[in-house]
Amino acid sequence: MRLSRYFMPILKENPKEAEIVSHRLMLRAGMIRQQSQGIYSWLPLGKRVLDKVNAIIREEQNRAGAIELSMPTLQSAELWQESGRYDAYGKEMLRIKDRQDRPMLYGPTNEEMVTDIFRSSVKSYKDLPINLYHIQLKFRDEIRPRFGTMRSREFMMKDAYSFDLTSEGAEHSYNKMFAAYLRTFDRLGLRAIPMRADTGPIGGKLSHEFIILADTGESEVFCHKDFVGFDIPGEHTDFDSVEGLKAIFDKWTSLYAATSEMHDEAAFNAVPEGDRLSARGIEVGHIFYFGTKYSEPMGAKVQGPDGKEHFVHMGSYGIGPTRLVPAIIEASHDDNGIIWPASVAPFDIVVINMKAGDQACDDTCELIHAALTKAGKDVLYDDTDDRAGTKFATADLIGVPVQIIAGPRAVANGEVEVKDRKTGARETMTIEAAINRFVA
Ligand code: ATP
Ligand code: MG
């Protein structure tokens, strides 16, 4: 991708409205634009990161056996009247009428709709367990949208819904998502700690929030510091092993961890003082087991092996991709800008032409751009005629992990400089060596 033909509206000044670093950097790097209060466009650079985050979420959901579908954003009020939540949900729900005056709503979540899909076709325990998910926009008319896409009114959610015959089965489904979440956040370069949580308007019996520790987080959290070093379930985790997943769940819930709503001062004080971590955190995921809370009022039942009808046991599992992007920035930045983990970087490499128009520099950059693109890398080529200082500042701001810098003097020797965005380390090497480093 040539920068001269790309759309990346960089801001030179610090936007006044941004109170936290991630919001500031997302605006400065031209990743997002606010369209109205708490409603954002994702500009091309931001969209690239969001897509990479979603790809990782999707891979881990699929690995854990969940099945993707797509449900609409607009829902009919009828379904919500069936569950009893139409009145209970309050002002966060955006209620709309269509031209026939029928009440509709912009979905804040999808328990009712997915239960409706389920009950329309699944009739036997033999089709269970099943877990259906989608990655879709939600709307909640938050009283105080703020911090950019961290807390917006329209936001994206990956929401999964599990259906089981028994509560034991549902517990295994819960543990699958629990392990999948640990893997997902780890691959996004984050350390998320599962904390016992309140179930809120979703309702239910068992619930964990996945929290990233960050000074700018909106939640107050308390946990044992050993969570910071716990092992993440590996790529070959057997998601069908009931005992294996139970062991992961038990390990990750063996020490104290709770948000302020669920905080138990006495239990926390029982943790040795040096091991207590009391901090602020960002909620990036939330999982619930709520049994038959929706299946009963909505009549979602299957025939069991005993020949009788049983209401299914359900759980729901949310992750917020449009909150994760700023959360990743909160966890990984410096004074010069964003430092993307390689897994979600908008580009793998930026090639910086220090003297656009100079034949040797142009040829070298073209060669590197073509070779790395051919090797499957996402390459941004800064072919603009901006000053060197501007180019360096932009490359640092947008946080691409590797910069390959081609200046006239080095190129005359057949060399370029390779800079690591995170460490700042620079290395001079031949053009061929620079290409080979990233092709291998
Ligand atoms: P919060 O407590 O932050 O208001 P919630 O508990 O209401 O969130 P859930 O219903 O648990 O949210 O939604 C699942 C996930 O969706 C959250 O963990 C979060 O990552 C994301 N999310 C929820 N609300 C927002 C929002 N207003 N903006 C961005 N992401 C959100
Ligand atoms: Mg929540």
Side-chain angles (χ1 to χ4, degrees):
M1 177 62 67
R2 283 165 197 279
L3 185 54
S4 63
R5 295 187 207 158
Y6 197 47
F7 182 70
M8 199 171 79
I10 298 280
L11 296 184
K12 295 235 159 48
E13 307 291 315
N14 265 330
K16 284 191 292 297
E17 71 268 31
E19 296 170 64
I20 59 171
V21 67
S22 58
H23 188 195
R24 194 154 60 232
L25 290 173
M26 286 175 80
L27 290 171
R28 285 201 44 214
M31 293 177 64
I32 53 170
R33 176 177 164 74
Q34 180 168 289
Q35 301 301 147
S36 59
Q37 198 195 24
I39 301 181
Y40 288 84
S41 290
W42 284 75
L43 304 182
L45 192 75
K47 175 74 161 64
R48 277 181 169 264
V49 178
L50 187 57
D51 285 349
K52 292 200 174 178
V53 167
N54 282 337
I56 289 174
I57 293 173
R58 188 173 277 125
E59 271 178 38
E60 295 302 330
Q61 290 293 293
N62 295 348
R63 189 196 308 278
I67 306 165
E68 188 170 10
L69 80 173
S70 178
M71 293 178 267
T73 52
L74 291 179
Q75 307 188 20
S76 123
E78 265 168 50
L79 279 177
W80 289 69
Q81 282 153 352
E82 274 190 62
S83 73
R85 276 209 295 184
Y86 189 60
D87 295 324
Y89 216 93
K91 289 202 163 191
E92 280 204 354
M93 181 187 276
L94 180 65
R95 295 155 206 259
I96 317 163
K97 284 208 170 135
D98 70 9
R99 65 198 294 164
Q100 270 103 28
D101 229 24
R102 276 189 295 247
M104 313 273 299
L105 56 99
Y106 194 132
T109 177
N110 280 59
E111 280 80 7
E112 284 78 359
M113 187 173 277
V114 77
T115 304
D116 178 59
I117 293 173
F118 178 89
R119 72 181 171 185
S120 71
S121 52
V122 182
K123 305 289 178 204
S124 162
Y125 76 94
K126 290 182 186 149
D127 296 324
L128 300 183
I130 198 162
N131 181 329
L132 301 173
Y133 78 97
H134 69 164
I135 301 178
Q136 176 63 289
L137 293 172
K138 304 283 180 288
F139 193 94
R140 294 182 186 173
D141 205 348
E142 298 270 355
I143 193 155
R144 202 141 86 93
R146 56 180 186 159
F147 303 155
T149 64
M150 188 78 88
R151 178 172 297 284
S152 50
R153 296 198 297 164
E154 188 188 62
F155 61 94
M156 196 168 271
M157 200 197 292
K158 180 291 296 176
D159 38 328
Y161 303 88
S162 64
F163 301 87
D164 282 88
L165 179 66
T166 62
S167 62
E168 296 74 42
E171 191 184 316
H172 180 52
S173 293
Y174 188 90
N175 292 345
K176 283 186 191 173
M177 288 293 110
F178 189 95
Y181 276 34
L182 292 173
R183 286 192 45 75
T184 303
F185 298 126
D186 183 62
R187 288 185 61 192
L188 298 173
L190 295 168
R191 169 61 44 151
I193 302 172
M195 305 204 180
R196 278 187 39 203
D198 196 12
T199 51
I202 309 277
K205 304 175 173 167
L206 177 63
S207 175
H208 287 87
E209 282 179 354
F210 287 74
I211 305 270
I212 287 160
L213 303 181
D215 295 339
T216 49
E218 291 185 285
S219 317
E220 200 184 355
V221 300
F222 306 86
C223 69
H224 195 292
K225 74 167 172 37
D226 283 2
F227 276 115
V228 176
F230 270 14
D231 284 343
I232 300 294
E235 195 176 350
H236 299 295
T237 300
D238 178 0
F239 282 87
D240 291 326
S241 164
V242 173
E243 304 77 41
L245 290 194
K246 177 86 169 75
I248 292 169
F249 176 85
D250 286 347
K251 163 113 206 215
W252 278 87
T253 52
S254 60
L255 299 175
Y256 188 83
T259 60
S260 56
E261 293 93 23
M262 298 294 276
H263 187 46
D264 174 348
E265 197 71 42
F268 188 53
N269 286 338
V271 175
E273 193 165 0
D275 292 339
R276 284 181 222 155
L277 203 60
S278 126
R280 303 208 61 88
I282 302 170
E283 179 200 322
V284 288
H286 196 166
I287 60 178
F288 303 84
Y289 164 57
F290 45 73
T292 59
K293 180 176 154 87
Y294 299 93
S295 58
E296 278 195 47
M298 295 187 67
K301 46 195 174 184
V302 294
Q303 190 169 51
D306 55 4
K308 295 194 188 124
E309 303 248 278
H310 300 265
F311 291 115
V312 288
H313 286 256
M314 293 174 58
S316 75
Y317 315 91
I319 292 184
T322 49
R323 177 178 289 180
L324 271 167
V325 174
I328 292 167
I329 298 175
E330 289 294 325
S332 184
H333 66 270
D334 63 15
D335 290 344
N336 298 326
I338 303 166
I339 303 173
W340 291 116
S343 60
V344 298
F347 295 97
D348 302 315
I349 297 158
V350 53
V351 178
I352 304 177
N353 187 339
M354 299 291 288
K355 199 168 180 200
D358 173 276
Q359 197 64 48
C361 283
D362 291 354
D363 289 349
T364 300
C365 289
E366 298 286 350
L367 179 81
I368 297 172
H369 182 207
L372 294 178
T373 304
K374 187 158 172 239
K377 299 289 170 194
D378 284 332
V379 187
L380 179 65
Y381 170 24
D382 186 347
D383 60 341
T384 64
D385 46 23
D386 288 338
R387 288 183 307 109
T390 306
K391 291 191 181 221
F392 289 142
T394 299
D396 280 356
L397 173 65
I398 66 172
V400 175
V402 177
Q403 302 170 9
I404 299 181
I405 303 160
R409 211 168 314 153
V411 165
N413 293 329
E415 290 176 335
V416 288
E417 248 188 313
V418 175
K419 179 180 153 186
D420 181 297
R421 170 65 183 91
K422 187 170 181 182
T423 63
R426 288 161 170 258
E427 236 182 294
T428 301
M429 62 184 78
T430 65
I431 294 162
E432 200 190 357
I435 293 172
N436 284 339
R437 173 173 295 194
F438 303 107
V439 166

